Amino acid sequence: ENKTKTQSGNGLAEIQIQQLFKLMIDKNASDLHLSVGGPPCIRIHGEMVKIKLGNLTPDDSKRLIFQILTQEQREELEIKKEIDFSFGVKGLARFRGNVFHSKNGWSAVFRQIPSQIPNFETLGLPRVLMEMTDVSSGLILVTGPTGSGKSTTLASIVDQLNQNIAGHIVTLEDPIEFVHSHLKSVVNQREVGSDTLSFSSGLRSL
């Protein structure tokens, strides 16, 4: 069984979620998993590795997860029993979080978002993708299972447009993952829930 220890050696009662995020970064892990009844786990090169801190109780899990939620997010979670969001930890990285309720209590998966937007050419995406964006109307769907690269592909396309076209780019995202700067284009990113009530209302305002 693969196991790893935090540098602090603290037990679950003392551990803070920021320490688990730092461990993710130090171990080059892609994900952090919190689930009641088992220890916190990180995913390294596709394999789940247990952190030797003991099994999470319902109180442990809720305490850790709620540390990084705003009051509004906590209220939404209590009502909807699940929430998707993104956030940054100063000095570490940006993360995407998925929190949900299971039969034993609150569970969560946190995925590290790369700080650099992947280059279109480096990803080896087919050139036809960029050609498809050179139209005045239409709908392009990017689909696939979790972790297949949908967000990365879209971020790369937006970045390519941002670098080469003097225009206005507006995104509607749930949640915002990659953050785009103003380059050749002006880029406004809107997050469903905090910047607009829904995709439909956001589209109507464009």
Side-chain angles (χ1 to χ4, degrees):
E1 178 180 305
N2 291 326
K3 292 184 179 180
T4 186
K5 295 182 180 180
T6 60
Q7 294 179 346
S8 66
N10 288 336
L12 283 170
E14 295 81 22
I15 203 77
Q16 302 295 309
I17 198 163
Q18 286 83 356
Q19 292 172 273
L20 297 179
F21 291 143
K22 186 176 187 305
L23 180 64
M24 277 182 70
I25 303 300
D26 292 344
K27 297 293 183 180
N28 197 28
S30 60
D31 302 89
L32 167 67
H33 293 252
L34 302 179
S35 185
V36 174
C41 296
I42 53 178
R43 186 182 295 275
I44 302 176
H45 303 306
E47 293 190 3
M48 297 290 280
V49 178
K50 296 178 179 179
I51 302 173
K52 195 175 180 182
L53 286 172
N55 294 338
L56 291 160
T57 67
D59 286 343
D60 291 328
S61 185
K62 182 175 182 178
R63 179 182 65 82
L64 288 168
I65 292 168
F66 276 47
Q67 284 176 1
I68 44 85
L69 297 178
T70 64
Q71 184 59 39
E72 292 78 10
Q73 288 170 333
R74 294 177 185 180
E75 293 171 0
E76 180 181 352
L77 186 60
E78 294 285 4
I79 294 171
K80 296 183 177 179
K81 303 301 181 184
E82 56 191 356
I83 186 174
D84 274 304
F85 60 105
S86 62
F87 59 99
V89 177
K90 189 174 181 180
L92 287 181
R94 281 184 59 77
F95 300 87
R96 175 169 181 166
N98 173 239
V99 180
F100 54 93
H101 199 273
S102 60
K103 64 183 180 67
N104 294 322
W106 295 112
S107 297
V109 179
F110 300 100
R111 170 161 292 183
Q112 183 185 168
I113 301 171
S115 57
Q116 296 294 320
I117 299 172
N119 181 272
F120 187 88
E121 302 295 340
T122 302
L123 289 176
L125 297 172
R127 202 66 211 172
V128 68
L129 282 180
M130 287 309 301
E131 295 172 5
M132 291 169 65
T133 63
D134 189 24
V135 294
S136 59
S137 63
L139 176 66
I140 298 174
L141 300 178
V142 179
T143 65
T146 300
S148 63
K150 300 184 298 295
S151 297
T152 302
T153 298
L154 287 169
S156 180
I157 292 172
V158 170
D159 184 60
Q160 188 79 358
L161 293 171
N162 190 18
Q163 292 187 52
N164 294 285
I165 296 175
H168 182 204
I169 299 172
V170 181
T171 71
L172 296 175
E173 305 177 58
D174 184 18
I176 291 173
E177 294 189 32
F178 294 92
V179 176
H180 297 270
S181 302
H182 301 305
L183 299 176
K184 197 167 184 179
S185 288
V186 173
V187 183
N188 287 312
Q189 295 178 259
R190 306 185 69 200
E191 183 165 292
V192 174
S194 58
D195 301 316
T196 182
L197 295 178
S198 65
F199 280 111
S200 58
S201 62
L203 284 171
R204 281 197 300 270
S205 68
L206 295 178

